[in-house]
Amino acid sequence: MRRGSWRIRILIGLAIVAFAFIRRCSNQEENPYTGRTQNIDMTAEQEIAIGLQSAPEMAQQHGGLYPDERLQNLVDKVGNKLVQNSVARETPYRYEFHLLADDRTINAFALPGGQIFITYALFSQLNEAQLAGVLGHEIGHVIGRHSAERIAESSFWQTLATGASVGGDMGSVVAGIGQNTLLTNGRGDELESDDLGVLFMIESGYDPNEMIEVMKILKSAAGPNRVPEFQSTHPDPENRIEKIKEAIDKYSGR
């Protein structure tokens, strides 16, 4: 009986693992704006809905929106200029740009579907071209569908870990591999967004070299005790600068 129960567990575990791979293969699709094949299990409409639903809470976590309408208008102007002069205008996403009141946290981020945020702490250190670099990078996250891809990949590894746990008590090992994979993919997302951000800056008439200055600002803000690259979802600013220079060379000759 004991041997039989182990066989049943192994078969169930293998079935769960097979299901995870079948679902992953069926969710493969090519991103029409980046050309990259991704594992995505939600529609653009669902991404937009998630972003709109999450936006108020995200703003609240950063002290709400910055009260100066003049500065918000500048963020809108730069963001919309980037959208209108790039492939972003062809996408189904709903781009909205929000200046957050947080004057301590240097950050910018994008929610699925086009909701883009920048804190006043970061905004206050940027000129217009550098602001364009930051917003272009975040638009790149939206177009790259990075949040949707991470959600699908996380679901895949969770299912895989469940199967490994049922079939042979290997769930923690597989989960650890999954976490490292998602970490690596997260760094890839940042580099892809940097690349797209450079392209959007050039297409909108901004000097892409200002993106390098943004990296220097981020490096300075992190200080000497910043997390090593291999432990972070973001590549080290020095490595990002090298990739940005490559992107500038690549797109400047267009």
Side-chain angles (χ1 to χ4, degrees), residues 23 175 181:
R23 186 174 66 176
T181 301

Side-chain angles (χ1 to χ4, degrees), residues 66-81 97-99 123 128 131 135:
Y66 194 76
D68 190 327
E69 190 173 328
R70 178 178 56 88
L71 297 183
Q72 175 62 58
N73 289 340
L74 174 60
V75 174
D76 288 335
K77 183 192 83 169
V78 174
N80 290 326
K81 183 177 181 180
F97 302 91
H98 310 279
L99 178 60
F123 171 87
E128 182 174 328
L131 174 62
L135 297 182

Side-chain angles (χ1 to χ4, degrees), residues 1 9 18 33 37 39-40 48 57 60 62 106 129 132 138-139 152 156 170 180 182 187 190 205-206 212 249:
M1 280 295 290
R9 282 190 61 182
Y33 311 109
T37 300
N39 173 28
I40 303 284
I48 293 170
E57 180 182 349
Q60 186 178 16
H62 291 271
I106 292 181
E138 298 306 330
I139 293 170
F156 166 74
M170 294 290 289
N180 289 330
L182 292 172
R187 291 199 290 267
E190 297 303 319
Y206 291 108
I212 296 173
D249 291 339

